[in-house]
Amino acid sequence: MRRFARPIAVLSCAASLLAAPARADIVYVLNSGEASISVIDARERTELRRMPVLREVHHAVLTPDGSTLVIGDSGGNELIFMDPATGEIRRRERISNPYHLEYSPDGRFLVVASLRRDQIDIYDAGTLQLTARFRQPDKPSHVAFSPDSRMVYVTLQGTGEVAAVDLTRKETVWTVPVGPEPAGIIWHRGRLLIGLMGSDEFVSLNPETREVTTAFRTARGAHTVFPAPDGRYLYATARVESGVWQIDANTLEVVRRFDVAGGPDCIAFDPDGRLWMTLRWLGRVAILDPRDGTMDHVRVGRSPHGIFVMPRREGMRADFASIMPGAVSGYRPLPSPLAARSGEPAAGHPPPIIAGAPVLAPGPVVTPARFFRRGPWRVEDAN
Amino acid sequence: MWEWLSDKYDLLATWIFETAIQPALYSLGLMDWAEDAFTWVGFFLFGLVQVAVVYAICRPLEAWRPVEPHQDRRFIRTDILYTLLTRLGVLPLIGFVIFFSADAWLAGAMADSGWIPPNLEEFFPVLRDVPWLAMLVYIVVIDFFEYWRHRFQHTFGWWWALHSIHHAQQHMSFWTDDRNHILDDVLQAAWLGALAVLIGVPPGQFPVILTVLRVAESLSHANTRIHFGRLGERLFVSPRFHRLHHGVLGAGATGRNYAVLFPVWDWVFGTANFDRERFPATGDPEAPQAYVTGGWLRQQWEGVRQVVLALLGRRRNLPARVPEGD
């Protein structure tokens, strides 16, 4: 039985993916409350299958070479290495409580923040040998790197601080208060942008001067911010007044607000520029097209958290966004977008649909006409 | 149908959380607890469903074939309070808040030591692909350890001083299952926590299985003259099987039928009694009066006092002795 269980599971998974319409993108959703990964056909917007995992999956990242999706099962104490093209699980590694994880931009380190045990772990990315472990005051939540891979910054939810860890010296070099209950953190053009769950603010932290200023305001329960691949916008989420805010990446001004019920959490972008968001409290994924505000939902497992879009288009790889201008921002900001590989659009030249997206007048609030109904959704003027 | 029900259930949890709990957390500056609070809402709702299902099944059985008439419901009200405090997550929530920091420290210390708690699925990889089977295996293993915890509750004087609250009920009903001292609950959490370090925690995403287990544990305390037959009595703990454990003579003397779900452990370790005709009166004749007729607070206070007395060697109510034979 044991001898055949794994091959059967792999075949079953591969068959599900192959059964999807040709060239439909695949979306992986980590259901943290249900010990499973939902596999979604992005074109049909249906769930193809649920893959069982051990206990509690939260976040997923691509390996630096873009070939493997690494999924952290914090409750199960393991990392799952998956082929994103087929869903095949290549291997598993035992590791202590991997909650939020990210590779350094130079690909040398894998940093894991463990919310439950107040520690940050630095692993050698190649061997997964633990090279340093730092105890933190309270609830290390999310991590973001500097583009030169020298520093990793960690939000500390319990103490309202951000800690800076020097990866060369392997020590915490400073800790600075940023505001109540910081959650998401990204590097963006020389600054760190941090969502404050206990506030309506995203703050900007200058890592050189450690000055903290208001970057922009969303609504109560500010949470995380993600750069769009095209580099023109950031998308920020808030949970208490549940929604997503489109932010001008240059000026940090709020362009639009989209009301999205259900506690939006992680966001992944598909090659057409659509946002795929996990709705943490609702057991659904929302698909938002920011060009016209249309929104759709797919039912997944309980408490969906991490999400990853695997494009299956000619010449497009899992890390398609890394060759685009937005790659210089985020958890793992690259010093500059990677050179285009064979068959991919060149860096700085986003796919046509994104390039052709209309620029809307700032200000409107996009509100669902009916809860959970498939789009189109009504667009209202905020003023 | 199940999908529809499950969806409505989730929507209700979301609605409660988004309209009441999350705004309150925000106002109190506690948004970093949002995910835990959402889990708790699920626990609360699931507890409500469990209590309703247990009531719907056990109450008619008690009315149909009662072992003894319970004409005065006052004696049962305290047990109802115990059940609601436990099943609706009040006591677990208090425990979570009190022990969160200690738990984080312990988890950190364990990681520092290099110990990564394994899972049963690592030892038996086939369980990875069949999570419900993994859960059943966990249930059997945990039931084995629960059998021994229960034995120890009846073995050590200070532990018996706490557990005696559970046995003091002279009007046992399906509500009696959760009648436990808070310190006893803490000990149980520590016991299961230690087990989790060795074999991991079981998967928790199977509400039907969890509800069936809940019904089984409550049913074993029900005031109903039911046994499961010659074979069934040896497979699952029945109201008859567990009532004998709660019998007046069983509490401090004979010590029989400790199993929680599967009588096989009593069978293996020589503590089983499968006499299907015995439905004894329940209670602990040597228990303090507060344990028998007191309310929740009085029982809790008296429990602490009795533990201190036991530790000082001044408590007369002694734990059970396992008999040589039956």
Side-chain angles (χ1 to χ4, degrees):
Chain A
M1 181 95 174
R2 174 181 166 177
R3 190 175 158 195
F4 297 113
R6 180 174 289 189
I8 289 171
V10 169
L11 282 174
S12 152
C13 178
S16 298
L17 298 183
L18 291 172
R23 296 171 61 81
D25 298 339
I26 294 293
V27 182
Y28 297 98
V29 181
L30 313 188
N31 302 314
S32 66
E34 199 176 284
S36 66
I37 299 172
S38 292
V39 184
I40 295 171
D41 178 331
R43 181 182 293 161
E44 297 297 319
R45 298 187 179 174
T46 55
E47 189 177 11
L48 296 171
R49 71 183 295 251
R50 285 188 194 176
M51 304 164 62
V53 293
L54 280 180
R55 296 295 181 272
E56 197 177 324
V57 279
H58 280 285
H59 289 283
V61 290
L62 267 180
T63 49
D65 66 1
S67 68
T68 306
L69 188 63
V70 183
I71 298 160
D73 186 338
S74 59
N77 293 309
E78 76 174 15
L79 289 181
I80 301 163
F81 292 78
M82 175 199 279
D83 180 347
T86 65
E88 178 195 355
I89 293 181
R90 290 172 169 156
R91 67 187 170 107
R92 296 182 171 92
E93 294 284 347
R94 289 189 71 209
I95 194 171
S96 178
N97 198 255
Y99 177 70
H100 189 245
L101 59 157
E102 190 55 86
Y103 285 96
S104 57
D106 63 7
R108 288 181 58 204
F109 299 108
L110 173 67
V111 174
V112 169
S114 175
L115 195 76
R116 286 286 179 221
R117 56 177 164 85
D118 292 344
Q119 288 173 333
I120 300 165
D121 294 339
I122 300 175
Y123 294 90
D124 180 282
T127 64
L128 282 185
Q129 288 293 310
L130 181 68
T131 62
R133 171 169 285 153
F134 301 92
R135 192 157 303 244
Q136 293 295 333
D138 203 6
K139 295 184 181 171
S141 175
H142 288 67
V143 302
F145 289 89
S146 59
D148 61 7
S149 299
R150 196 170 68 84
M151 305 289 290
V152 61
Y153 305 95
V154 187
T155 49
L156 304 174
Q157 279 185 11
T159 57
E161 297 169 312
V162 166
V165 175
D166 188 318
L167 287 170
T168 312
R169 291 154 54 190
K170 302 281 192 309
E171 63 181 25
T172 304
V173 288
W174 50 258
T175 303
V176 65
V178 292
E181 297 140 283
I185 180 170
I186 64 165
W187 178 277
H188 180 64
R189 303 185 187 187
R191 300 282 193 277
L192 293 158
L193 297 179
I194 300 144
L196 303 178
M197 285 196 294
S199 158
D200 62 356
E201 274 186 281
F202 280 78
V203 292
S204 171
L205 166 61
N206 183 329
E208 300 301 324
T209 64
R210 292 170 224 172
E211 182 190 11
V212 179
T213 55
T214 299
F216 53 89
R217 290 180 186 276
T218 53
R220 294 180 299 153
H223 193 63
T224 51
V225 58
F226 296 84
D230 65 7
R232 287 163 58 185
Y233 299 113
L234 306 172
Y235 290 91
T237 62
R239 278 178 166 179
V240 180
E241 289 175 57
S242 198
V244 176
W245 281 254
Q246 188 183 49
I247 311 294
D248 186 301
N250 291 316
T251 64
L252 295 185
E253 288 176 352
V254 173
V255 179
R256 277 184 296 176
R257 166 182 172 169
F258 302 93
D259 281 348
V260 183
D265 201 317
C266 286
I267 297 175
F269 297 86
D270 71 19
D272 297 324
R274 282 183 289 261
L275 283 67
W276 289 72
M277 292 172 278
T278 47
L279 304 181
R280 197 70 187 275
W281 317 137
L282 211 50
R284 281 167 171 75
V285 164
I287 307 117
L288 169 68
D289 191 330
R291 292 165 297 177
D292 56 13
T294 55
M295 197 172 320
D296 201 354
H297 289 88
V298 179
R299 178 112 165 89
V300 290
R302 302 198 74 204
S303 201
H305 195 178
I307 185 165
F308 181 79
V309 176
M310 175 66 202
R312 297 203 300 175
R313 307 177 186 199
E314 191 65 35
M316 193 167 277
R317 291 168 39 121
D319 59 347
F320 69 96
S322 64
I323 63 167
M324 297 171 70
V328 297
S329 298
Y331 295 135
R332 189 199 317 181
L334 300 177
S336 61
L338 296 177
R341 285 168 285 257
S342 171
E344 286 182 335
H349 297 277
I353 295 176
I354 294 176
V359 179
L360 301 182
V365 177
V366 182
T367 309
R370 255 185 66 193
F371 206 55
F372 304 146
R373 200 190 70 175
R374 284 198 169 202
W377 290 29
R378 193 171 68 241
V379 180
E380 294 175 350
D381 196 319
N383 305 315
Chain B
M1 179 63 179
W2 175 252
E3 273 293 308
W4 184 86
L5 268 179
S6 167
D7 194 32
K8 296 301 172 208
Y9 177 88
D10 287 347
L11 289 178
L12 178 61
T14 304
W15 182 79
I16 292 172
F17 181 76
E18 289 199 316
T19 54
I21 306 296
Q22 190 171 235
L25 291 174
Y26 184 84
S27 301
L28 295 168
L30 296 172
M31 275 299 286
D32 56 325
W33 297 95
E35 282 147 30
D36 301 300
F38 182 65
T39 304
W40 181 81
V41 170
F43 190 97
F44 172 81
L45 277 180
F46 188 46
L48 275 180
V49 171
Q50 283 187 333
V51 170
V53 171
V54 164
Y55 187 88
I57 291 173
C58 295
R59 188 70 193 97
L61 291 174
E62 287 194 341
W64 175 46
R65 295 193 70 189
V67 176
E68 53 187 347
H70 288 174
Q71 289 168 349
D72 193 339
R73 305 290 293 176
R74 276 181 309 170
F75 298 111
I76 294 174
R77 277 184 207 138
T78 303
D79 289 6
I80 295 175
L81 180 59
Y82 272 104
T83 300
L84 296 180
L85 287 175
T86 305
R87 294 297 152 186
L88 302 189
V90 178
L91 294 181
L93 181 65
I94 293 170
F96 175 79
V97 171
I98 291 174
F99 294 112
F100 180 84
S101 295
D103 185 56
W105 180 86
L106 200 65
M110 209 154 58
D112 281 341
S113 76
W115 176 260
I116 302 173
N119 298 291
L120 279 183
E121 290 92 327
E122 282 179 44
F123 304 125
F124 308 103
V126 68
L127 299 179
R128 280 183 178 278
D129 300 312
V130 197
W132 64 267
L133 181 61
M135 182 161 181
L136 292 181
V137 174
Y138 271 99
I139 287 167
V140 172
V141 175
I142 289 172
D143 195 55
F144 170 76
F145 279 85
E146 281 297 89
Y147 168 85
W148 279 105
R149 185 178 68 87
H150 197 182
R151 283 281 296 263
F152 294 148
Q153 284 177 315
H154 286 254
T155 302
F156 301 113
W158 58 270
W159 209 343
W160 170 248
L162 291 173
H163 187 56
S164 174
I165 288 178
H166 183 71
H167 280 268
Q169 176 58 282
Q170 296 171 351
H171 303 268
M172 195 170 82
S173 71
F174 67 91
W175 295 106
T176 307
D177 186 30
D178 292 306
R179 181 189 171 104
N180 295 303
H181 196 277
I182 286 179
L183 292 177
D184 214 355
D185 288 336
V186 170
L187 287 171
Q188 183 188 24
W191 180 265
L192 294 177
L195 184 59
V197 170
L198 297 175
I199 64 163
V201 292
Q205 67 271 32
F206 299 99
V208 173
I209 296 177
L210 291 171
T211 303
V212 169
L213 294 178
R214 173 72 189 133
V215 169
E217 290 179 21
S218 294
L219 181 64
S220 71
H221 290 85
N223 172 33
T224 184
R225 194 175 290 276
I226 289 177
H227 62 72
F228 293 163
R230 183 178 174 78
L231 177 62
E233 285 283 301
R234 285 162 173 78
L235 294 177
F236 301 105
V237 170
S238 71
R240 196 285 314 167
F241 186 91
H242 198 62
R243 190 176 188 84
L244 192 131
H245 173 75
H246 273 263
V248 171
L249 292 177
T254 56
R256 287 287 173 186
N257 296 7
Y258 292 96
V260 179
L261 288 173
F262 307 118
V264 65
W265 312 125
D266 281 299
W267 207 359
V268 170
F269 297 109
T271 51
N273 181 308
F274 292 116
D275 179 356
R276 298 198 299 279
E277 301 310 314
R278 285 180 66 188
F279 288 88
T282 62
D284 175 7
E286 295 179 39
Q289 193 58 33
Y291 280 14
V292 182
T293 56
W296 186 86
L297 256 181
R298 196 170 154 217
Q299 289 182 1
Q300 295 299 310
W301 172 246
E302 183 63 22
V304 174
R305 206 175 75 85
Q306 291 293 324
V307 170
V308 173
L309 287 175
L311 289 171
L312 294 174
R314 295 184 192 163
R315 192 166 191 269
R316 284 181 303 171
N317 188 358
L318 296 175
R321 297 180 304 277
V322 177
E324 295 295 321
D326 224 24

